[in-house]
Amino acid sequence: MDDGRPIFLQLAERIEDGIIDGTYPDEGQLPSINEFAAFHRINPATALKGITRLVDAGLVYKRRGVGMFVAAGARDRLLAARRERFADSHIAPLLAEAQTLGLTTDELIDLIRKDTPS
Amino acid sequence: MTLTVEAHGLTKRYGSLHAVNDVSFAIPGGSIVGLLGRNGAGKTTLMQLITGQELATTGDVRVLGENPVENPRVMSTLCFVKEAQKYPEDFRVRHVMSVAPRFFPNWDAEYAERLVDEFRLNRKQRIKKLSRGQLSSVGIIVGLASRAPVTIFDEPYLGLDAIARQNFYDHLLADYSENPRTIILSTHLIDEVANLLEHAIVIDDGRIVLDAPVDELRASAVTVSGPASAVDAFVAARDVMHHQTLGGLATATISALSDADRVTATAAGLEVGPVSLQQLIIRRSGGWTTEEVSA
């Protein structure tokens, strides 16, 4: 786990990915802090910080003595947020690379059409 | 949060050598802290001061609020796993495990036995016949099974291969999760332990050059690489910690970028990458140079 940003952010994002792809369904239970720490070989305090971020965002909630659960509607909210960021996070780098390769926007659109499963 | 280990203006002089030079820090309870630095930087002397094995020339060190020197209350809370631990002449592995409870009130004998098996030690083996790596394993087992509120590992893995070290890190994390306590890990294998640490204290030439949460350190810098002209244009107005060129390409280590800056960098054809904790510490502590002294 390392793309240069703080580990707790990366953990939070991985859990978000899990919520989006259905690994952790709405109202489903998440692994414990210690399980996340052991699995990713990170400090438990770091894991706690990552989870706390999701709790603060209302995506995950804690049930005392039971564990942590995905909040209802978390997936929809994450999808909306990721779609909003899509232009910056994916389109901009795509255009930059296309420009380096000398691909025009029309060629790019053709490529996308060709690779889109119908 | 209670502080487990505190130092104020701590200094240890051997003749004209300042092994530890006016050092102050505070380690919060229940965290895994890395004490990092080059060989000869003063790490071991500092640990000897913390564990009451050396007397400070000046200044003050407190463990759980008390002076550690000849203090049985403090001693019963400490476990110091040394790089070169000495054992009585005829000791075998099982003797070490059987005397340990006398020194460590929280000793978990069952856990220790499990670790002896996992690290594949022969209980009947004489300590002095052990290989360097096996001797390190004994120290690691004592450190983990002691469950001491303040456990200090000084380069605990000499002679251990990568698999055995990973085994140690996994046990350390698992046991720390179950039984939180203060763990001070002195090492120069910084990148291997980076993700285990909550906090890093970097010592160089007897002084503390960096004392910060690891998260904060990691977030504090990135590298940008790409065509030298684009890199130079992008970093022109920034604080450059390190700069390297290869032909027409360049890589610069700079302070962290905002999301907007990242987009700008990517749009300029630059690649934004991570800086390892080890690289970062080398950059931030003046490349392990003696700048600190001349400053």
Side-chain angles (χ1 to χ4, degrees):
Chain A
M1 170 136 44
D2 194 1
D3 64 5
R5 292 168 311 141
I7 299 290
F8 76 93
L9 279 180
Q10 295 180 50
L11 175 67
E13 243 176 55
R14 289 214 182 185
I15 298 171
E16 287 180 7
D17 288 342
I19 294 174
I20 288 174
D21 72 19
T23 307
Y24 309 124
D26 277 8
E27 297 294 347
Q29 184 163 9
L30 287 176
S32 71
I33 303 280
N34 290 347
E35 284 168 336
F36 276 121
F39 184 80
H40 293 295
R41 294 194 163 124
I42 57 176
N43 187 295
T46 310
L48 175 65
K49 211 167 151 190
I51 303 268
T52 302
R53 209 177 143 82
L54 299 176
V55 171
D56 290 346
L59 296 164
V60 165
Y61 66 94
K62 290 180 180 173
R63 250 189 247 156
R64 198 166 281 280
V66 188
M68 297 173 307
F69 295 82
V70 178
R75 182 168 183 271
D76 288 343
R77 285 181 44 208
L78 282 171
L79 281 177
R82 291 263 176 116
R83 282 181 186 134
E84 215 163 283
R85 282 211 313 268
F86 189 74
D88 279 347
S89 64
H90 291 78
I91 304 289
L94 178 75
L95 289 175
E97 178 71 5
Q99 197 178 6
T100 310
L101 301 178
L103 287 168
T104 66
T105 304
D106 283 339
E107 286 170 317
L108 203 54
I109 291 170
D110 284 344
L111 280 173
I112 292 170
R113 286 230 171 84
K114 204 175 74 187
D115 279 355
T116 307
S118 44
Chain B
M1 198 177 294
T2 53
L3 296 174
T4 30
V5 182
E6 280 173 276
H8 301 285
L10 190 60
T11 298
K12 178 68 187 178
R13 263 200 312 269
Y14 297 105
S16 64
L17 174 77
H18 286 69
V20 170
N21 195 354
D22 191 21
V23 154
S24 299
F25 60 87
I27 294 177
S31 56
I32 305 180
V33 176
L35 182 58
L36 313 172
R38 299 179 72 177
N39 292 331
K43 300 189 299 270
T44 298
T45 305
L46 183 54
M47 286 181 279
Q48 285 170 334
L49 290 165
I50 293 171
T51 53
Q53 299 184 350
E54 285 282 359
L55 283 169
T57 308
T58 54
D60 178 52
V61 62
R62 308 252 142 202
V63 177
L64 300 167
E66 299 189 41
N67 183 343
V69 177
E70 288 180 19
N71 183 334
R73 249 194 328 272
V74 169
M75 284 309 121
S76 70
T77 67
L78 275 174
C79 177
F80 183 20
V81 177
K82 281 182 273 193
E83 195 178 334
Q85 178 67 49
K86 295 276 189 293
Y87 297 94
E89 185 67 0
D90 281 334
F91 254 41
R92 295 170 195 269
V93 170
R94 62 183 166 82
H95 295 132
V96 176
M97 303 303 148
S98 61
V99 301
R102 281 191 239 161
F103 297 96
F104 309 112
N106 296 342
W107 181 259
D108 185 333
E110 205 180 299
Y111 181 48
E113 290 304 317
R114 217 164 64 230
L115 290 172
V116 168
D117 289 334
E118 271 197 45
F119 282 92
R120 299 185 185 172
L121 293 176
N122 176 353
R123 292 173 174 74
K124 293 185 188 135
Q125 182 100 352
R126 280 181 197 281
I127 292 289
K128 61 179 183 186
K129 293 277 171 71
L130 293 177
S131 71
R132 184 60 247 191
Q134 288 170 322
L135 195 59
S136 293
S137 299
V138 170
I140 283 170
I141 293 169
V142 169
L144 289 172
S146 74
R147 298 265 162 81
V150 182
T151 303
I152 303 177
F153 290 101
D154 185 7
E155 303 280 2
Y157 38 56
L158 279 184
L160 287 185
D161 58 33
I163 295 170
R165 292 202 299 273
Q166 196 59 64
N167 203 4
F168 165 53
Y169 301 142
D170 285 351
H171 275 290
L172 180 68
L173 263 190
D175 198 59
Y176 167 81
S177 296
E178 295 291 317
N179 306 281
R181 53 206 194 263
T182 300
I183 291 172
I184 300 174
L185 195 53
S186 155
T187 179
H188 57 254
L189 299 180
I190 298 174
D191 282 335
E192 260 192 34
V193 301
N195 289 356
L196 308 184
L197 305 177
E198 194 174 335
H199 198 96
I201 293 176
V202 182
I203 180 167
D204 192 36
D205 210 10
R207 288 176 183 273
I208 288 181
V209 291
L210 213 53
D211 178 357
V214 170
D215 260 347
E216 220 170 80
L217 286 174
R218 301 178 66 99
S220 69
V222 291
T223 61
V224 288
S225 16
S229 55
V231 170
D232 290 347
F234 186 76
V235 304
R238 294 170 198 272
D239 180 21
V240 178
M241 284 176 246
H242 185 70
H243 190 275
Q244 225 177 343
T245 52
L246 175 68
L249 299 175
T251 295
T253 305
I254 54 172
S255 297
L257 298 175
S258 67
D259 285 349
D261 281 342
R262 269 177 190 264
V263 172
T264 312
T266 315
L270 299 175
E271 204 163 301
V272 180
V275 182
S276 75
L277 187 63
Q278 176 156 321
Q279 290 301 316
L280 187 71
I281 285 172
I282 292 172
R283 308 272 180 261
R284 294 280 294 272
S285 57
W288 296 127
T289 64
T290 48
E291 280 175 11
E292 199 63 28
V293 174
S294 54

